Amino acid sequence: MRIESSRRLIDTVAWVLIDEGRILCARPRDKHEFYIPGGKREGAETDRQTLIREIAEELTVTLLPGSILHVGTYQADVPGDEPVAVRMGCYTAEYTGTLTPSSEIAEIAWFTYADRDAVPPVDRILFDDLVARGKLPRR
């Protein structure tokens, strides 16, 4: 997908955690929509550095760096009046600790493919790809 020069691009990374046919999603405080956990890089961080930091900040667990694997990179326009797109580099990883929402996360939930419409457009593309690859059941 080609982005127009006037279109702003938000570059993010996300942690794909699937368990028993469900994918982990988080709802930040002061937002109504759930997202795949992750966020934007700070400074010259790599995707891996951003992912490890963001997941520790949001879910209070530690990702194991040697287990991080790229799932795919997805991009979609953000609905609204502004010309904005989100690019999301997605990774799986093993972790240590107990998944617990931090102060910036209102709640976490395990979504199935049936919950696809409750997430933003870029996350929907991830859901579709995971189903097509047999990683997330279509139910």
Side-chain angles (χ1 to χ4, degrees):
M1 170 191 282
R2 188 169 164 250
I3 296 181
E4 301 166 22
S5 60
S6 64
R7 184 171 302 281
R8 185 170 64 98
L9 179 66
I10 300 170
D11 189 23
T12 66
V13 297
W15 182 35
V16 177
L17 181 61
I18 298 172
D19 186 34
E20 296 182 8
R22 301 171 305 155
I23 188 168
L24 180 66
C25 293
R27 184 177 63 80
R29 294 214 183 278
D30 303 322
K31 300 225 176 172
H32 299 290
E33 205 164 31
F34 280 85
Y35 300 83
I36 301 299
K40 299 178 224 168
R41 76 184 79 252
E42 292 179 358
E45 281 181 327
T46 65
D47 279 8
R48 287 173 184 253
Q49 291 167 331
T50 304
L51 186 69
I52 291 168
R53 177 185 52 75
E54 285 286 346
I55 297 309
E57 288 174 3
E58 291 182 0
L59 302 172
T60 69
V61 296
T62 302
L63 297 184
L64 303 176
S67 71
I68 297 173
L69 297 173
H70 186 248
V71 172
T73 300
Y74 309 91
Q75 188 167 310
D77 290 338
V78 176
D81 297 333
E82 305 260 339
V84 178
V86 172
R87 179 173 46 215
M88 183 172 71
C90 296
Y91 298 84
T92 59
E94 296 175 18
Y95 68 96
T96 60
T98 302
L99 290 169
T100 307
S102 72
S103 61
E104 64 185 66
I105 300 297
E107 63 181 310
I108 59 174
W110 293 92
F111 282 16
T112 65
Y113 187 73
D115 301 305
R116 177 186 178 277
D117 290 341
V119 297
V122 72
D123 294 29
R124 293 177 196 162
I125 295 170
L126 167 66
F127 275 46
D128 293 344
D129 186 49
L130 291 172
V131 166
R133 293 164 57 181
K135 304 288 184 186
L136 187 66
R138 180 186 297 271
R139 50 173 153 153

